[in-house]
mmCIF file of all heavy atoms in Angstrom:
data_model
loop_
_atom_site.group_PDB
_atom_site.id
_atom_site.type_symbol
_atom_site.label_atom_id
_atom_site.label_comp_id
_atom_site.label_asym_id
_atom_site.label_seq_id
_atom_site.Cartn_x
_atom_site.Cartn_y
_atom_site.Cartn_z
ATOM 1 N N GLU A 133 214.809 167.081 34.923
ATOM 2 C CA GLU A 133 213.421 166.809 35.300
ATOM 3 C C GLU A 133 213.363 166.064 36.637
ATOM 4 O O GLU A 133 212.495 166.336 37.472
ATOM 5 C CB GLU A 133 212.745 165.974 34.207
ATOM 6 C CG GLU A 133 211.240 165.865 34.360
ATOM 7 C CD GLU A 133 210.530 167.185 34.175
ATOM 8 O OE1 GLU A 133 211.054 168.036 33.417
ATOM 9 O OE2 GLU A 133 209.465 167.365 34.793
ATOM 10 N N ALA A 134 214.297 165.166 36.836
ATOM 11 C CA ALA A 134 214.347 164.418 38.095
ATOM 12 C C ALA A 134 214.703 165.340 39.261
ATOM 13 O O ALA A 134 214.139 165.212 40.356
ATOM 14 C CB ALA A 134 215.375 163.290 37.989
ATOM 15 N N GLU A 135 215.612 166.279 39.019
ATOM 16 C CA GLU A 135 215.996 167.227 40.056
ATOM 17 C C GLU A 135 214.831 168.149 40.419
ATOM 18 O O GLU A 135 214.608 168.453 41.590
ATOM 19 C CB GLU A 135 217.198 168.052 39.590
ATOM 20 C CG GLU A 135 218.495 167.256 39.494
ATOM 21 C CD GLU A 135 219.639 168.078 38.949
ATOM 22 O OE1 GLU A 135 219.380 169.212 38.489
ATOM 23 O OE2 GLU A 135 220.782 167.596 38.979
ATOM 24 N N VAL A 136 214.092 168.593 39.400
ATOM 25 C CA VAL A 136 212.929 169.450 39.646
ATOM 26 C C VAL A 136 211.866 168.695 40.445
ATOM 27 O O VAL A 136 211.273 169.227 41.385
ATOM 28 C CB VAL A 136 212.343 169.964 38.313
ATOM 29 C CG1 VAL A 136 210.986 170.640 38.548
ATOM 30 C CG2 VAL A 136 213.294 170.947 37.647
ATOM 31 N N SER A 137 211.631 167.433 40.069
ATOM 32 C CA SER A 137 210.643 166.613 40.785
ATOM 33 C C SER A 137 211.049 166.426 42.242
ATOM 34 O O SER A 137 210.203 166.505 43.148
ATOM 35 C CB SER A 137 210.494 165.253 40.101
ATOM 36 O OG SER A 137 210.013 165.389 38.783
ATOM 37 N N LYS A 138 212.335 166.181 42.471
ATOM 38 C CA LYS A 138 212.825 166.008 43.836
ATOM 39 C C LYS A 138 212.665 167.305 44.630
ATOM 40 O O LYS A 138 212.265 167.286 45.803
ATOM 41 C CB LYS A 138 214.296 165.598 43.810
ATOM 42 C CG LYS A 138 214.891 165.372 45.199
ATOM 43 C CD LYS A 138 216.353 164.968 45.111
ATOM 44 C CE LYS A 138 216.942 164.786 46.503
ATOM 45 N NZ LYS A 138 218.395 164.436 46.433
ATOM 46 N N LEU A 139 212.968 168.432 43.992
ATOM 47 C CA LEU A 139 212.837 169.730 44.656
ATOM 48 C C LEU A 139 211.377 170.011 45.012
ATOM 49 O O LEU A 139 211.080 170.506 46.096
ATOM 50 C CB LEU A 139 213.381 170.832 43.747
ATOM 51 C CG LEU A 139 213.368 172.270 44.301
ATOM 52 C CD1 LEU A 139 214.176 172.362 45.594
ATOM 53 C CD2 LEU A 139 213.920 173.250 43.265
ATOM 54 N N PHE A 140 210.467 169.664 44.093
ATOM 55 C CA PHE A 140 209.041 169.829 44.364
ATOM 56 C C PHE A 140 208.607 168.978 45.550
ATOM 57 O O PHE A 140 207.889 169.451 46.443
ATOM 58 C CB PHE A 140 208.215 169.450 43.129
ATOM 59 C CG PHE A 140 207.768 170.627 42.327
ATOM 60 C CD1 PHE A 140 208.285 170.864 41.059
ATOM 61 C CD2 PHE A 140 206.831 171.515 42.836
ATOM 62 C CE1 PHE A 140 207.876 171.960 40.313
ATOM 63 C CE2 PHE A 140 206.411 172.617 42.099
ATOM 64 C CZ PHE A 140 206.938 172.836 40.838
ATOM 65 N N ARG A 141 209.031 167.717 45.558
ATOM 66 C CA ARG A 141 208.640 166.823 46.647
ATOM 67 C C ARG A 141 209.152 167.335 47.981
ATOM 68 O O ARG A 141 208.412 167.384 48.974
ATOM 69 C CB ARG A 141 209.169 165.410 46.395
ATOM 70 C CG ARG A 141 208.444 164.647 45.297
ATOM 71 C CD ARG A 141 208.777 163.167 45.362
ATOM 72 N NE ARG A 141 210.205 162.915 45.280
ATOM 73 C CZ ARG A 141 210.874 162.751 44.154
ATOM 74 N NH1 ARG A 141 210.238 162.821 42.993
ATOM 75 N NH2 ARG A 141 212.173 162.518 44.165
ATOM 76 N N ASN A 142 210.417 167.718 48.013
ATOM 77 C CA ASN A 142 211.004 168.214 49.263
ATOM 78 C C ASN A 142 210.336 169.506 49.728
ATOM 79 O O ASN A 142 210.057 169.685 50.918
ATOM 80 C CB ASN A 142 212.503 168.438 49.083
ATOM 81 C CG ASN A 142 213.279 167.148 48.937
ATOM 82 O OD1 ASN A 142 212.795 166.073 49.323
ATOM 83 N ND2 ASN A 142 214.477 167.221 48.378
ATOM 84 N N THR A 143 210.098 170.405 48.772
ATOM 85 C CA THR A 143 209.498 171.706 49.119
ATOM 86 C C THR A 143 208.094 171.540 49.675
ATOM 87 O O THR A 143 207.773 172.058 50.748
ATOM 88 C CB THR A 143 209.459 172.628 47.890
ATOM 89 O OG1 THR A 143 210.794 172.877 47.428
ATOM 90 C CG2 THR A 143 208.802 173.956 48.229
ATOM 91 N N TYR A 144 207.249 170.803 48.966
ATOM 92 C CA TYR A 144 205.854 170.694 49.389
ATOM 93 C C TYR A 144 205.683 169.774 50.593
ATOM 94 O O TYR A 144 204.737 169.949 51.370
ATOM 95 C CB TYR A 144 204.982 170.257 48.212
ATOM 96 C CG TYR A 144 204.703 171.388 47.268
ATOM 97 C CD1 TYR A 144 205.562 171.680 46.211
ATOM 98 C CD2 TYR A 144 203.606 172.226 47.466
ATOM 99 C CE1 TYR A 144 205.327 172.749 45.364
ATOM 100 C CE2 TYR A 144 203.361 173.304 46.619
ATOM 101 C CZ TYR A 144 204.231 173.553 45.570
ATOM 102 O OH TYR A 144 203.993 174.620 44.740
ATOM 103 N N SER A 145 206.588 168.821 50.774
ATOM 104 C CA SER A 145 206.551 167.995 51.991
ATOM 105 C C SER A 145 206.900 168.849 53.203
ATOM 106 O O SER A 145 206.212 168.802 54.234
ATOM 107 C CB SER A 145 207.537 166.828 51.877
ATOM 108 O OG SER A 145 207.158 165.938 50.854
ATOM 109 N N LEU A 146 207.961 169.657 53.074
ATOM 110 C CA LEU A 146 208.357 170.532 54.174
ATOM 111 C C LEU A 146 207.304 171.607 54.410
ATOM 112 O O LEU A 146 207.017 171.959 55.557
ATOM 113 C CB LEU A 146 209.716 171.170 53.880
ATOM 114 C CG LEU A 146 210.295 172.081 54.971
ATOM 115 C CD1 LEU A 146 210.454 171.325 56.290
ATOM 116 C CD2 LEU A 146 211.646 172.666 54.528
ATOM 117 N N LEU A 147 206.705 172.120 53.337
ATOM 118 C CA LEU A 147 205.671 173.135 53.478
ATOM 119 C C LEU A 147 204.470 172.578 54.244
ATOM 120 O O LEU A 147 203.919 173.249 55.129
ATOM 121 C CB LEU A 147 205.229 173.629 52.096
ATOM 122 C CG LEU A 147 204.146 174.721 52.077
ATOM 123 C CD1 LEU A 147 204.642 175.976 52.779
ATOM 124 C CD2 LEU A 147 203.743 175.038 50.633
ATOM 125 N N ALA A 148 204.073 171.356 53.922
ATOM 126 C CA ALA A 148 202.941 170.735 54.621
ATOM 127 C C ALA A 148 203.254 170.559 56.106
ATOM 128 O O ALA A 148 202.402 170.817 56.969
ATOM 129 C CB ALA A 148 202.618 169.380 53.985
ATOM 130 N N MET A 149 204.486 170.128 56.413
ATOM 131 C CA MET A 149 204.865 169.926 57.811
ATOM 132 C C MET A 149 204.924 171.244 58.578
ATOM 133 O O MET A 149 204.479 171.325 59.732
ATOM 134 C CB MET A 149 206.215 169.197 57.884
ATOM 135 C CG MET A 149 206.143 167.735 57.487
ATOM 136 S SD MET A 149 207.700 166.841 57.795
ATOM 137 C CE MET A 149 208.731 167.502 56.472
ATOM 138 N N THR A 150 205.458 172.292 57.942
ATOM 139 C CA THR A 150 205.564 173.579 58.634
ATOM 140 C C THR A 150 204.187 174.216 58.827
ATOM 141 O O THR A 150 203.933 174.846 59.852
ATOM 142 C CB THR A 150 206.476 174.552 57.862
ATOM 143 O OG1 THR A 150 206.053 174.635 56.493
ATOM 144 C CG2 THR A 150 207.925 174.080 57.904
ATOM 145 N N LEU A 151 203.296 174.043 57.850
ATOM 146 C CA LEU A 151 201.936 174.561 58.010
ATOM 147 C C LEU A 151 201.213 173.859 59.161
ATOM 148 O O LEU A 151 200.524 174.498 59.962
ATOM 149 C CB LEU A 151 201.148 174.385 56.713
ATOM 150 C CG LEU A 151 201.504 175.340 55.558
ATOM 151 C CD1 LEU A 151 200.807 174.906 54.270
ATOM 152 C CD2 LEU A 151 201.124 176.776 55.906
ATOM 153 N N ALA A 152 201.399 172.539 59.239
ATOM 154 C CA ALA A 152 200.771 171.785 60.324
ATOM 155 C C ALA A 152 201.355 172.192 61.674
ATOM 156 O O ALA A 152 200.614 172.387 62.655
ATOM 157 C CB ALA A 152 200.977 170.285 60.098
ATOM 158 N N PHE A 153 202.673 172.348 61.725
ATOM 159 C CA PHE A 153 203.335 172.747 62.977
ATOM 160 C C PHE A 153 202.890 174.143 63.394
ATOM 161 O O PHE A 153 202.597 174.391 64.571
ATOM 162 C CB PHE A 153 204.851 172.709 62.781
ATOM 163 C CG PHE A 153 205.636 173.137 63.990
ATOM 164 C CD1 PHE A 153 205.617 172.384 65.161
ATOM 165 C CD2 PHE A 153 206.386 174.311 63.968
ATOM 166 C CE1 PHE A 153 206.335 172.787 66.277
ATOM 167 C CE2 PHE A 153 207.101 174.712 65.073
ATOM 168 C CZ PHE A 153 207.081 173.945 66.233
ATOM 169 N N SER A 154 202.817 175.053 62.442
ATOM 170 C CA SER A 154 202.392 176.415 62.735
ATOM 171 C C SER A 154 200.950 176.437 63.230
ATOM 172 O O SER A 154 200.602 177.202 64.143
ATOM 173 C CB SER A 154 202.530 177.283 61.479
ATOM 174 O OG SER A 154 202.199 178.620 61.742
ATOM 175 N N ALA A 155 200.096 175.599 62.643
ATOM 176 C CA ALA A 155 198.691 175.529 63.059
ATOM 177 C C ALA A 155 198.574 175.017 64.491
ATOM 178 O O ALA A 155 197.752 175.520 65.272
ATOM 179 C CB ALA A 155 197.916 174.618 62.106
ATOM 180 N N VAL A 156 199.401 174.036 64.844
ATOM 181 C CA VAL A 156 199.389 173.501 66.209
ATOM 182 C C VAL A 156 199.827 174.568 67.208
ATOM 183 O O VAL A 156 199.205 174.758 68.261
ATOM 184 C CB VAL A 156 200.302 172.257 66.315
ATOM 185 C CG1 VAL A 156 200.487 171.845 67.778
ATOM 186 C CG2 VAL A 156 199.721 171.096 65.525
ATOM 187 N N VAL A 157 200.892 175.295 66.866
ATOM 188 C CA VAL A 157 201.379 176.358 67.753
ATOM 189 C C VAL A 157 200.323 177.460 67.878
ATOM 190 O O VAL A 157 200.102 177.999 68.972
ATOM 191 C CB VAL A 157 202.713 176.938 67.234
ATOM 192 C CG1 VAL A 157 203.142 178.125 68.082
ATOM 193 C CG2 VAL A 157 203.796 175.869 67.241
ATOM 194 N N ALA A 158 199.674 177.801 66.772
ATOM 195 C CA ALA A 158 198.614 178.823 66.806
ATOM 196 C C ALA A 158 197.467 178.377 67.705
ATOM 197 O O ALA A 158 196.917 179.174 68.471
ATOM 198 C CB ALA A 158 198.102 179.092 65.394
ATOM 199 N N PHE A 159 197.120 177.092 67.633
ATOM 200 C CA PHE A 159 196.042 176.560 68.477
ATOM 201 C C PHE A 159 196.429 176.640 69.957
ATOM 202 O O PHE A 159 195.607 177.017 70.800
ATOM 203 C CB PHE A 159 195.744 175.114 68.088
ATOM 204 C CG PHE A 159 194.707 174.454 68.949
ATOM 205 C CD1 PHE A 159 193.369 174.747 68.785
ATOM 206 C CD2 PHE A 159 195.075 173.547 69.938
ATOM 207 C CE1 PHE A 159 192.395 174.147 69.585
ATOM 208 C CE2 PHE A 159 194.127 172.945 70.741
ATOM 209 C CZ PHE A 159 192.781 173.240 70.572
ATOM 210 N N ILE A 160 197.672 176.288 70.265
ATOM 211 C CA ILE A 160 198.152 176.376 71.649
ATOM 212 C C ILE A 160 198.133 177.827 72.125
ATOM 213 O O ILE A 160 197.713 178.138 73.246
ATOM 214 C CB ILE A 160 199.566 175.779 71.776
ATOM 215 C CG1 ILE A 160 199.539 174.279 71.493
ATOM 216 C CG2 ILE A 160 200.151 176.045 73.165
ATOM 217 C CD1 ILE A 160 200.908 173.637 71.430
ATOM 218 N N SER A 161 198.594 178.734 71.254
ATOM 219 C CA SER A 161 198.611 180.157 71.582
ATOM 220 C C SER A 161 197.201 180.674 71.844
ATOM 221 O O SER A 161 196.971 181.465 72.762
ATOM 222 C CB SER A 161 199.257 180.943 70.432
ATOM 223 O OG SER A 161 199.233 182.329 70.683
ATOM 224 N N MET A 162 196.248 180.197 71.045
ATOM 225 C CA MET A 162 194.851 180.596 71.231
ATOM 226 C C MET A 162 194.284 180.031 72.529
ATOM 227 O O MET A 162 193.620 180.738 73.288
ATOM 228 C CB MET A 162 194.003 180.094 70.050
ATOM 229 C CG MET A 162 194.267 180.786 68.732
ATOM 230 S SD MET A 162 193.424 179.945 67.357
ATOM 231 C CE MET A 162 191.716 180.097 67.876
ATOM 232 N N SER A 163 194.566 178.757 72.780
ATOM 233 C CA SER A 163 194.023 178.089 73.956
ATOM 234 C C SER A 163 194.535 178.707 75.248
ATOM 235 O O SER A 163 193.788 178.868 76.222
ATOM 236 C CB SER A 163 194.369 176.596 73.922
ATOM 237 O OG SER A 163 193.842 175.972 72.765
ATOM 238 N N LEU A 164 195.815 179.069 75.263
ATOM 239 C CA LEU A 164 196.416 179.672 76.451
ATOM 240 C C LEU A 164 196.196 181.177 76.505
ATOM 241 O O LEU A 164 196.586 181.825 77.482
ATOM 242 C CB LEU A 164 197.917 179.373 76.481
ATOM 243 C CG LEU A 164 198.320 177.898 76.580
ATOM 244 C CD1 LEU A 164 199.834 177.748 76.545
ATOM 245 C CD2 LEU A 164 197.748 177.261 77.845
ATOM 246 N N ARG A 165 195.597 181.713 75.428
ATOM 247 C CA ARG A 165 195.354 183.159 75.315
ATOM 248 C C ARG A 165 196.634 183.962 75.575
ATOM 249 O O ARG A 165 196.653 184.908 76.365
ATOM 250 C CB ARG A 165 194.239 183.592 76.269
ATOM 251 C CG ARG A 165 192.895 182.978 75.924
ATOM 252 C CD ARG A 165 191.744 183.698 76.565
ATOM 253 N NE ARG A 165 190.468 183.233 76.010
ATOM 254 C CZ ARG A 165 189.897 183.681 74.910
ATOM 255 N NH1 ARG A 165 190.498 184.653 74.225
ATOM 256 N NH2 ARG A 165 188.744 183.209 74.484
ATOM 257 N N LEU A 166 197.682 183.537 74.894
ATOM 258 C CA LEU A 166 198.964 184.224 75.032
ATOM 259 C C LEU A 166 198.882 185.597 74.388
ATOM 260 O O LEU A 166 198.208 185.775 73.366
ATOM 261 C CB LEU A 166 200.073 183.397 74.371
ATOM 262 C CG LEU A 166 200.320 182.004 74.960
ATOM 263 C CD1 LEU A 166 201.388 181.276 74.156
ATOM 264 C CD2 LEU A 166 200.748 182.114 76.417
ATOM 265 N N PRO A 167 199.563 186.578 74.957
ATOM 266 C CA PRO A 167 199.529 187.928 74.377
ATOM 267 C C PRO A 167 200.369 188.016 73.118
ATOM 268 O O PRO A 167 201.326 187.257 72.939
ATOM 269 C CB PRO A 167 200.126 188.796 75.497
ATOM 270 C CG PRO A 167 201.055 187.868 76.215
ATOM 271 C CD PRO A 167 200.391 186.516 76.181
ATOM 272 N N HIS A 168 199.995 188.935 72.247
ATOM 273 C CA HIS A 168 200.790 189.166 71.041
ATOM 274 C C HIS A 168 202.117 189.804 71.443
ATOM 275 O O HIS A 168 202.153 190.689 72.301
ATOM 276 C CB HIS A 168 200.033 190.084 70.082
ATOM 277 C CG HIS A 168 200.609 190.113 68.710
ATOM 278 N ND1 HIS A 168 201.686 190.905 68.356
ATOM 279 C CD2 HIS A 168 200.276 189.422 67.586
ATOM 280 C CE1 HIS A 168 201.975 190.710 67.083
ATOM 281 N NE2 HIS A 168 201.131 189.822 66.587
ATOM 282 N N PRO A 169 203.239 189.369 70.852
ATOM 283 C CA PRO A 169 204.544 189.915 71.248
ATOM 284 C C PRO A 169 204.761 191.379 70.887
ATOM 285 O O PRO A 169 205.705 192.005 71.364
ATOM 286 C CB PRO A 169 205.543 189.010 70.500
ATOM 287 C CG PRO A 169 204.771 188.490 69.334
ATOM 288 C CD PRO A 169 203.366 188.334 69.825
ATOM 289 N N GLY A 170 203.904 191.936 70.049
ATOM 290 C CA GLY A 170 204.075 193.332 69.636
ATOM 291 C C GLY A 170 204.842 193.433 68.331
ATOM 292 O O GLY A 170 205.539 192.502 67.912
ATOM 293 N N LEU A 171 204.723 194.574 67.692
ATOM 294 C CA LEU A 171 205.307 194.763 66.365
ATOM 295 C C LEU A 171 206.828 194.643 66.370
ATOM 296 O O LEU A 171 207.409 193.961 65.521
ATOM 297 C CB LEU A 171 204.896 196.135 65.810
ATOM 298 C CG LEU A 171 205.449 196.471 64.417
ATOM 299 C CD1 LEU A 171 204.928 195.503 63.371
ATOM 300 C CD2 LEU A 171 205.107 197.908 64.041
ATOM 301 N N ILE A 172 207.493 195.281 67.334
ATOM 302 C CA ILE A 172 208.962 195.300 67.349
ATOM 303 C C ILE A 172 209.527 193.896 67.530
ATOM 304 O O ILE A 172 210.392 193.451 66.757
ATOM 305 C CB ILE A 172 209.488 196.236 68.466
ATOM 306 C CG1 ILE A 172 208.971 197.662 68.253
ATOM 307 C CG2 ILE A 172 211.012 196.205 68.480
ATOM 308 C CD1 ILE A 172 209.411 198.284 66.956
#
């Protein structure tokens, strides 16, 4: 149970940080009107 709790804390803490980081990068990309890199 302690291992599961630790895994949950680590996972959701990292998830929150990556979502925030991705949102910041998306905002910068929008502000600079960077082109989409394309499908490939």
Side-chain angles (χ1 to χ4, degrees):
E133 191 66 29
E135 290 176 351
V136 170
S137 298
K138 181 180 178 182
L139 182 59
F140 260 111
R141 287 195 303 272
N142 290 340
T143 298
Y144 283 88
S145 295
L146 182 58
L147 181 62
M149 288 188 287
T150 52
L151 286 171
F153 178 66
S154 183
V156 170
V157 175
F159 177 76
I160 294 173
S161 177
M162 290 171 61
S163 301
L164 297 178
R165 295 198 169 275
L166 298 177
H168 194 277
L171 180 63
I172 301 299

